[in-house]
Structure formats: structure tokens, C-alpha cells
Amino acid sequence: MKVMIDTNVIISAALFPNGRAAEAFFKAMMPPYEPIVCDYIVDELHRKFREKFPDRLTELEAFLFQALSFVEVVQTPETAVETESKVRDPKDRPILRAALDAHVDLFLTGDKDFLESSITDPRIISVAEFLER
């Protein structure tokens, strides 16, 4: 089962290794799940850390060095798809596009723009819901 892991889950997992997001992140790394991120998410991680947590960039790099050896990184398609208009924040739309292109089953996120959308494919799931599975 393919699971795309959103930026906010990875940030929380990197900053709070004993938290719920980290627990969900590591669960997504184990069978039957196949963890996926897109190159847009990786770029967004670096950008967010430079903006909000510049003193913790080393932690991000160490986390990514380990995590990305277990996570498939897919390319983000440039061409928009109709479904992405259901996501309020235009900055999040490329992530949905990549999830659709990679044919993921689940999209693990804490982002309300995704969680409150009417998107059903892929299934958008919160950290709490994922941990209850």
C-alpha cells in the first residue's frame, strides 16, 4: 500500500522524534506500506526549515539522510490536473498531482487544506487516523 507522506508530517517527525507524527512516519516505513514523497516535498522541507528553523537544518539533513534511503522520491508532474482544484492552497496542489501520478493509496497529512477537501483518491488520512489503522 503506497503512502505519500506530507511535508508537515516529516517536519514534525524530524523535530519531535518521540511524537505522534514520528510514530506515524515510522509506521509508514514498515510493510505493508510503501513510503513515498515527491521532489516538491523535499524542496519544501528545505525551504520551511530555512524560514522557520534555521538553527535546526543539521537535524533535518540527518533525518533526511536516513529516511530517504527507505522512501521513494517521485517527480512532481508539471501539468495540472482537474482534481487539484479541490485543494484550497495552490501551493499544495503539486503535491496532490504527484500523489495521483504515483498512484498512492493513502496521503498522510496534518494539513487542513487536504483533510477538509472532498478528495477521495487518494484517501487523505490524518496522523491520528493512520495510527488507529
Side-chain angles (χ1 to χ4, degrees):
M1 178 173 287
K2 293 183 179 182
V3 180
M4 183 165 282
I5 306 167
D6 198 10
T7 309
N8 55 57
V9 174
I10 298 171
I11 288 173
S12 294
L15 294 175
F16 307 104
N18 296 319
R20 303 266 296 154
E23 187 179 346
F25 180 85
F26 292 115
K27 179 178 178 178
M29 304 287 258
M30 304 297 290
Y33 303 109
E34 298 174 42
I36 296 175
V37 297
C38 61
D39 55 352
Y40 185 92
I41 287 174
V42 175
D43 292 344
E44 189 174 49
L45 283 166
H46 287 102
R47 188 176 68 251
K48 294 278 186 190
F49 262 76
R50 279 192 301 275
E51 290 172 10
K52 297 181 178 189
F53 313 105
D55 57 326
R56 299 188 74 182
L57 274 168
T58 304
E59 288 174 68
L60 172 68
E61 293 304 329
F63 183 85
L64 288 177
F65 179 77
Q66 290 182 329
L68 293 182
S69 62
F70 297 98
V71 177
E72 179 182 357
V73 180
V74 299
Q75 296 295 311
T76 305
E78 293 185 27
T79 306
V81 294
E82 185 178 327
T83 308
E84 69 186 64
S85 65
K86 294 179 180 181
V87 178
R88 283 186 298 239
D89 187 350
K91 292 178 185 173
D92 289 335
R93 293 175 183 171
I95 298 170
L96 176 62
R97 192 179 317 144
L100 291 167
D101 191 62
H103 304 286
V104 301
D105 301 293
L106 298 174
F107 182 74
L108 178 61
T109 186
D111 187 330
K112 287 185 180 184
D113 288 329
F114 283 112
L115 292 169
E116 294 174 356
S117 73
S118 59
I119 296 167
T120 57
D121 182 29
R123 180 172 174 215
I124 299 174
I125 189 167
S126 69
V127 166
E129 286 178 281
F130 185 68
L131 290 173
E132 289 173 11
R133 286 179 70 100

PDB file of all heavy atoms in Angstrom, residues 50-74:
ATOM      1  N   ARG A  50      14.641  26.457   6.468  1.00  0.00           N
ATOM      2  CA  ARG A  50      15.436  27.692   6.366  1.00  0.00           C
ATOM      3  C   ARG A  50      14.658  28.886   6.904  1.00  0.00           C
ATOM      4  O   ARG A  50      15.213  29.752   7.562  1.00  0.00           O
ATOM      5  CB  ARG A  50      15.861  27.946   4.919  1.00  0.00           C
ATOM      6  CG  ARG A  50      17.071  27.137   4.495  1.00  0.00           C
ATOM      7  CD  ARG A  50      17.657  27.616   3.169  1.00  0.00           C
ATOM      8  NE  ARG A  50      16.714  27.569   2.068  1.00  0.00           N
ATOM      9  CZ  ARG A  50      16.471  26.498   1.315  1.00  0.00           C
ATOM     10  NH1 ARG A  50      17.101  25.374   1.548  1.00  0.00           N
ATOM     11  NH2 ARG A  50      15.612  26.548   0.326  1.00  0.00           N
ATOM     12  N   GLU A  51      13.335  28.921   6.639  1.00  0.00           N
ATOM     13  CA  GLU A  51      12.492  30.032   7.087  1.00  0.00           C
ATOM     14  C   GLU A  51      12.192  29.978   8.582  1.00  0.00           C
ATOM     15  O   GLU A  51      12.291  30.983   9.277  1.00  0.00           O
ATOM     16  CB  GLU A  51      11.144  30.017   6.346  1.00  0.00           C
ATOM     17  CG  GLU A  51      11.203  30.372   4.897  1.00  0.00           C
ATOM     18  CD  GLU A  51       9.865  30.137   4.188  1.00  0.00           C
ATOM     19  OE1 GLU A  51       8.840  29.872   4.871  1.00  0.00           O
ATOM     20  OE2 GLU A  51       9.844  30.201   2.954  1.00  0.00           O
ATOM     21  N   LYS A  52      11.790  28.807   9.069  1.00  0.00           N
ATOM     22  CA  LYS A  52      11.251  28.704  10.425  1.00  0.00           C
ATOM     23  C   LYS A  52      12.211  28.114  11.449  1.00  0.00           C
ATOM     24  O   LYS A  52      12.089  28.397  12.641  1.00  0.00           O
ATOM     25  CB  LYS A  52       9.968  27.868  10.416  1.00  0.00           C
ATOM     26  CG  LYS A  52       8.862  28.504   9.604  1.00  0.00           C
ATOM     27  CD  LYS A  52       7.610  27.673   9.624  1.00  0.00           C
ATOM     28  CE  LYS A  52       6.512  28.369   8.825  1.00  0.00           C
ATOM     29  NZ  LYS A  52       5.235  27.728   8.984  1.00  0.00           N
ATOM     30  N   PHE A  53      13.122  27.254  11.013  1.00  0.00           N
ATOM     31  CA  PHE A  53      14.013  26.561  11.944  1.00  0.00           C
ATOM     32  C   PHE A  53      15.458  26.569  11.427  1.00  0.00           C
ATOM     33  O   PHE A  53      16.080  25.508  11.298  1.00  0.00           O
ATOM     34  CB  PHE A  53      13.556  25.104  12.142  1.00  0.00           C
ATOM     35  CG  PHE A  53      12.086  24.939  12.392  1.00  0.00           C
ATOM     36  CD1 PHE A  53      11.247  24.461  11.387  1.00  0.00           C
ATOM     37  CD2 PHE A  53      11.530  25.272  13.624  1.00  0.00           C
ATOM     38  CE1 PHE A  53       9.891  24.312  11.607  1.00  0.00           C
ATOM     39  CE2 PHE A  53      10.168  25.125  13.844  1.00  0.00           C
ATOM     40  CZ  PHE A  53       9.346  24.648  12.842  1.00  0.00           C
ATOM     41  N   PRO A  54      16.006  27.740  11.119  1.00  0.00           N
ATOM     42  CA  PRO A  54      17.345  27.772  10.517  1.00  0.00           C
ATOM     43  C   PRO A  54      18.433  27.158  11.397  1.00  0.00           C
ATOM     44  O   PRO A  54      19.405  26.618  10.880  1.00  0.00           O
ATOM     45  CB  PRO A  54      17.605  29.265  10.279  1.00  0.00           C
ATOM     46  CG  PRO A  54      16.670  29.972  11.194  1.00  0.00           C
ATOM     47  CD  PRO A  54      15.478  29.080  11.349  1.00  0.00           C
ATOM     48  N   ASP A  55      18.229  27.193  12.704  1.00  0.00           N
ATOM     49  CA  ASP A  55      19.223  26.624  13.613  1.00  0.00           C
ATOM     50  C   ASP A  55      19.115  25.102  13.713  1.00  0.00           C
ATOM     51  O   ASP A  55      19.928  24.464  14.389  1.00  0.00           O
ATOM     52  CB  ASP A  55      19.085  27.251  15.004  1.00  0.00           C
ATOM     53  CG  ASP A  55      17.698  27.089  15.600  1.00  0.00           C
ATOM     54  OD1 ASP A  55      16.706  27.112  14.839  1.00  0.00           O
ATOM     55  OD2 ASP A  55      17.599  26.938  16.832  1.00  0.00           O
ATOM     56  N   ARG A  56      18.131  24.517  13.028  1.00  0.00           N
ATOM     57  CA  ARG A  56      17.939  23.061  13.105  1.00  0.00           C
ATOM     58  C   ARG A  56      18.086  22.378  11.736  1.00  0.00           C
ATOM     59  O   ARG A  56      17.649  21.243  11.558  1.00  0.00           O
ATOM     60  CB  ARG A  56      16.577  22.770  13.719  1.00  0.00           C
ATOM     61  CG  ARG A  56      16.535  23.364  15.158  1.00  0.00           C
ATOM     62  CD  ARG A  56      15.361  23.010  15.940  1.00  0.00           C
ATOM     63  NE  ARG A  56      15.419  21.613  16.388  1.00  0.00           N
ATOM     64  CZ  ARG A  56      14.438  21.058  17.094  1.00  0.00           C
ATOM     65  NH1 ARG A  56      13.378  21.753  17.431  1.00  0.00           N
ATOM     66  NH2 ARG A  56      14.527  19.807  17.465  1.00  0.00           N
ATOM     67  N   LEU A  57      18.713  23.071  10.803  1.00  0.00           N
ATOM     68  CA  LEU A  57      18.915  22.497   9.471  1.00  0.00           C
ATOM     69  C   LEU A  57      19.734  21.211   9.517  1.00  0.00           C
ATOM     70  O   LEU A  57      19.475  20.277   8.747  1.00  0.00           O
ATOM     71  CB  LEU A  57      19.592  23.511   8.551  1.00  0.00           C
ATOM     72  CG  LEU A  57      18.662  24.480   7.841  1.00  0.00           C
ATOM     73  CD1 LEU A  57      19.449  25.613   7.203  1.00  0.00           C
ATOM     74  CD2 LEU A  57      17.811  23.769   6.817  1.00  0.00           C
ATOM     75  N   THR A  58      20.688  21.146  10.420  1.00  0.00           N
ATOM     76  CA  THR A  58      21.513  19.947  10.533  1.00  0.00           C
ATOM     77  C   THR A  58      20.663  18.750  10.932  1.00  0.00           C
ATOM     78  O   THR A  58      20.858  17.639  10.415  1.00  0.00           O
ATOM     79  CB  THR A  58      22.639  20.163  11.566  1.00  0.00           C
ATOM     80  OG1 THR A  58      23.382  21.310  11.159  1.00  0.00           O
ATOM     81  CG2 THR A  58      23.562  18.975  11.643  1.00  0.00           C
ATOM     82  N   GLU A  59      19.692  18.975  11.821  1.00  0.00           N
ATOM     83  CA  GLU A  59      18.794  17.890  12.227  1.00  0.00           C
ATOM     84  C   GLU A  59      17.974  17.392  11.045  1.00  0.00           C
ATOM     85  O   GLU A  59      17.769  16.191  10.873  1.00  0.00           O
ATOM     86  CB  GLU A  59      17.851  18.356  13.334  1.00  0.00           C
ATOM     87  CG  GLU A  59      18.527  18.536  14.670  1.00  0.00           C
ATOM     88  CD  GLU A  59      17.596  19.140  15.685  1.00  0.00           C
ATOM     89  OE1 GLU A  59      16.626  18.453  16.075  1.00  0.00           O
ATOM     90  OE2 GLU A  59      17.840  20.292  16.080  1.00  0.00           O
ATOM     91  N   LEU A  60      17.494  18.341  10.226  1.00  0.00           N
ATOM     92  CA  LEU A  60      16.720  17.951   9.043  1.00  0.00           C
ATOM     93  C   LEU A  60      17.586  17.112   8.112  1.00  0.00           C
ATOM     94  O   LEU A  60      17.145  16.064   7.628  1.00  0.00           O
ATOM     95  CB  LEU A  60      16.185  19.174   8.301  1.00  0.00           C
ATOM     96  CG  LEU A  60      15.541  18.852   6.943  1.00  0.00           C
ATOM     97  CD1 LEU A  60      14.253  18.061   7.121  1.00  0.00           C
ATOM     98  CD2 LEU A  60      15.294  20.120   6.145  1.00  0.00           C
ATOM     99  N   GLU A  61      18.788  17.581   7.840  1.00  0.00           N
ATOM    100  CA  GLU A  61      19.662  16.862   6.916  1.00  0.00           C
ATOM    101  C   GLU A  61      19.969  15.450   7.419  1.00  0.00           C
ATOM    102  O   GLU A  61      19.961  14.500   6.643  1.00  0.00           O
ATOM    103  CB  GLU A  61      20.960  17.650   6.673  1.00  0.00           C
ATOM    104  CG  GLU A  61      20.748  18.953   5.916  1.00  0.00           C
ATOM    105  CD  GLU A  61      20.059  18.789   4.577  1.00  0.00           C
ATOM    106  OE1 GLU A  61      20.213  17.744   3.904  1.00  0.00           O
ATOM    107  OE2 GLU A  61      19.338  19.715   4.176  1.00  0.00           O
ATOM    108  N   ALA A  62      20.215  15.315   8.717  1.00  0.00           N
ATOM    109  CA  ALA A  62      20.480  13.989   9.288  1.00  0.00           C
ATOM    110  C   ALA A  62      19.245  13.099   9.172  1.00  0.00           C
ATOM    111  O   ALA A  62      19.340  11.922   8.810  1.00  0.00           O
ATOM    112  CB  ALA A  62      20.906  14.122  10.746  1.00  0.00           C
ATOM    113  N   PHE A  63      18.082  13.677   9.456  1.00  0.00           N
ATOM    114  CA  PHE A  63      16.830  12.924   9.364  1.00  0.00           C
ATOM    115  C   PHE A  63      16.592  12.477   7.927  1.00  0.00           C
ATOM    116  O   PHE A  63      16.281  11.305   7.670  1.00  0.00           O
ATOM    117  CB  PHE A  63      15.672  13.790   9.862  1.00  0.00           C
ATOM    118  CG  PHE A  63      14.350  13.090   9.879  1.00  0.00           C
ATOM    119  CD1 PHE A  63      13.976  12.316  10.964  1.00  0.00           C
ATOM    120  CD2 PHE A  63      13.466  13.196   8.813  1.00  0.00           C
ATOM    121  CE1 PHE A  63      12.751  11.655  10.987  1.00  0.00           C
ATOM    122  CE2 PHE A  63      12.245  12.543   8.822  1.00  0.00           C
ATOM    123  CZ  PHE A  63      11.900  11.773   9.915  1.00  0.00           C
ATOM    124  N   LEU A  64      16.735  13.398   6.972  1.00  0.00           N
ATOM    125  CA  LEU A  64      16.501  13.067   5.571  1.00  0.00           C
ATOM    126  C   LEU A  64      17.512  12.050   5.049  1.00  0.00           C
ATOM    127  O   LEU A  64      17.166  11.179   4.251  1.00  0.00           O
ATOM    128  CB  LEU A  64      16.528  14.323   4.706  1.00  0.00           C
ATOM    129  CG  LEU A  64      15.344  15.264   4.852  1.00  0.00           C
ATOM    130  CD1 LEU A  64      15.532  16.502   3.982  1.00  0.00           C
ATOM    131  CD2 LEU A  64      14.036  14.564   4.517  1.00  0.00           C
ATOM    132  N   PHE A  65      18.751  12.172   5.495  1.00  0.00           N
ATOM    133  CA  PHE A  65      19.782  11.230   5.059  1.00  0.00           C
ATOM    134  C   PHE A  65      19.370   9.801   5.389  1.00  0.00           C
ATOM    135  O   PHE A  65      19.499   8.898   4.570  1.00  0.00           O
ATOM    136  CB  PHE A  65      21.129  11.579   5.711  1.00  0.00           C
ATOM    137  CG  PHE A  65      22.229  10.633   5.332  1.00  0.00           C
ATOM    138  CD1 PHE A  65      22.840  10.735   4.083  1.00  0.00           C
ATOM    139  CD2 PHE A  65      22.653   9.649   6.208  1.00  0.00           C
ATOM    140  CE1 PHE A  65      23.854   9.855   3.714  1.00  0.00           C
ATOM    141  CE2 PHE A  65      23.668   8.757   5.852  1.00  0.00           C
ATOM    142  CZ  PHE A  65      24.264   8.869   4.607  1.00  0.00           C
ATOM    143  N   GLN A  66      18.849   9.613   6.587  1.00  0.00           N
ATOM    144  CA  GLN A  66      18.407   8.277   6.987  1.00  0.00           C
ATOM    145  C   GLN A  66      17.087   7.906   6.326  1.00  0.00           C
ATOM    146  O   GLN A  66      16.934   6.815   5.783  1.00  0.00           O
ATOM    147  CB  GLN A  66      18.260   8.198   8.501  1.00  0.00           C
ATOM    148  CG  GLN A  66      19.588   8.244   9.224  1.00  0.00           C
ATOM    149  CD  GLN A  66      19.411   8.122  10.720  1.00  0.00           C
ATOM    150  OE1 GLN A  66      18.409   8.546  11.275  1.00  0.00           O
ATOM    151  NE2 GLN A  66      20.398   7.542  11.377  1.00  0.00           N
ATOM    152  N   ALA A  67      16.122   8.807   6.382  1.00  0.00           N
ATOM    153  CA  ALA A  67      14.768   8.494   5.914  1.00  0.00           C
ATOM    154  C   ALA A  67      14.710   8.253   4.409  1.00  0.00           C
ATOM    155  O   ALA A  67      14.024   7.333   3.955  1.00  0.00           O
ATOM    156  CB  ALA A  67      13.809   9.608   6.303  1.00  0.00           C
ATOM    157  N   LEU A  68      15.413   9.070   3.643  1.00  0.00           N
ATOM    158  CA  LEU A  68      15.281   8.964   2.192  1.00  0.00           C
ATOM    159  C   LEU A  68      15.921   7.698   1.623  1.00  0.00           C
ATOM    160  O   LEU A  68      15.688   7.364   0.466  1.00  0.00           O
ATOM    161  CB  LEU A  68      15.820  10.215   1.503  1.00  0.00           C
ATOM    162  CG  LEU A  68      14.999  11.479   1.763  1.00  0.00           C
ATOM    163  CD1 LEU A  68      15.579  12.667   1.003  1.00  0.00           C
ATOM    164  CD2 LEU A  68      13.524  11.290   1.426  1.00  0.00           C
ATOM    165  N   SER A  69      16.658   6.985   2.449  1.00  0.00           N
ATOM    166  CA  SER A  69      17.170   5.701   1.964  1.00  0.00           C
ATOM    167  C   SER A  69      16.076   4.633   1.982  1.00  0.00           C
ATOM    168  O   SER A  69      16.213   3.591   1.365  1.00  0.00           O
ATOM    169  CB  SER A  69      18.376   5.255   2.798  1.00  0.00           C
ATOM    170  OG  SER A  69      18.007   5.051   4.138  1.00  0.00           O
ATOM    171  N   PHE A  70      14.953   4.927   2.678  1.00  0.00           N
ATOM    172  CA  PHE A  70      13.831   3.995   2.765  1.00  0.00           C
ATOM    173  C   PHE A  70      12.590   4.495   2.030  1.00  0.00           C
ATOM    174  O   PHE A  70      11.611   3.780   1.925  1.00  0.00           O
ATOM    175  CB  PHE A  70      13.435   3.764   4.235  1.00  0.00           C
ATOM    176  CG  PHE A  70      14.511   3.122   5.041  1.00  0.00           C
ATOM    177  CD1 PHE A  70      15.344   3.892   5.833  1.00  0.00           C
ATOM    178  CD2 PHE A  70      14.702   1.754   4.995  1.00  0.00           C
ATOM    179  CE1 PHE A  70      16.349   3.299   6.584  1.00  0.00           C
ATOM    180  CE2 PHE A  70      15.710   1.156   5.750  1.00  0.00           C
ATOM    181  CZ  PHE A  70      16.535   1.934   6.545  1.00  0.00           C
ATOM    182  N   VAL A  71      12.616   5.736   1.571  1.00  0.00           N
ATOM    183  CA  VAL A  71      11.451   6.376   0.973  1.00  0.00           C
ATOM    184  C   VAL A  71      11.697   6.593  -0.517  1.00  0.00           C
ATOM    185  O   VAL A  71      12.747   7.092  -0.912  1.00  0.00           O
ATOM    186  CB  VAL A  71      11.168   7.739   1.652  1.00  0.00           C
ATOM    187  CG1 VAL A  71      10.009   8.462   0.999  1.00  0.00           C
ATOM    188  CG2 VAL A  71      10.905   7.550   3.143  1.00  0.00           C
ATOM    189  N   GLU A  72      10.717   6.244  -1.320  1.00  0.00           N
ATOM    190  CA  GLU A  72      10.818   6.508  -2.752  1.00  0.00           C
ATOM    191  C   GLU A  72      10.510   7.984  -3.004  1.00  0.00           C
ATOM    192  O   GLU A  72       9.511   8.511  -2.513  1.00  0.00           O
ATOM    193  CB  GLU A  72       9.814   5.642  -3.520  1.00  0.00           C
ATOM    194  CG  GLU A  72       9.854   5.873  -5.016  1.00  0.00           C
ATOM    195  CD  GLU A  72       8.833   5.054  -5.779  1.00  0.00           C
ATOM    196  OE1 GLU A  72       8.115   4.244  -5.177  1.00  0.00           O
ATOM    197  OE2 GLU A  72       8.753   5.257  -7.008  1.00  0.00           O
ATOM    198  N   VAL A  73      11.373   8.644  -3.751  1.00  0.00           N
ATOM    199  CA  VAL A  73      11.151  10.038  -4.119  1.00  0.00           C
ATOM    200  C   VAL A  73      10.726  10.067  -5.581  1.00  0.00           C
ATOM    201  O   VAL A  73      11.455   9.595  -6.450  1.00  0.00           O
ATOM    202  CB  VAL A  73      12.415  10.906  -3.912  1.00  0.00           C
ATOM    203  CG1 VAL A  73      12.154  12.353  -4.312  1.00  0.00           C
ATOM    204  CG2 VAL A  73      12.894  10.826  -2.465  1.00  0.00           C
ATOM    205  N   VAL A  74       9.527  10.600  -5.827  1.00  0.00           N
ATOM    206  CA  VAL A  74       8.990  10.671  -7.186  1.00  0.00           C
ATOM    207  C   VAL A  74       9.020  12.111  -7.693  1.00  0.00           C
ATOM    208  O   VAL A  74       9.042  13.056  -6.899  1.00  0.00           O
ATOM    209  CB  VAL A  74       7.547  10.104  -7.260  1.00  0.00           C
ATOM    210  CG1 VAL A  74       7.526   8.633  -6.858  1.00  0.00           C
ATOM    211  CG2 VAL A  74       6.590  10.903  -6.401  1.00  0.00           C
TER     212      VAL A  74
END
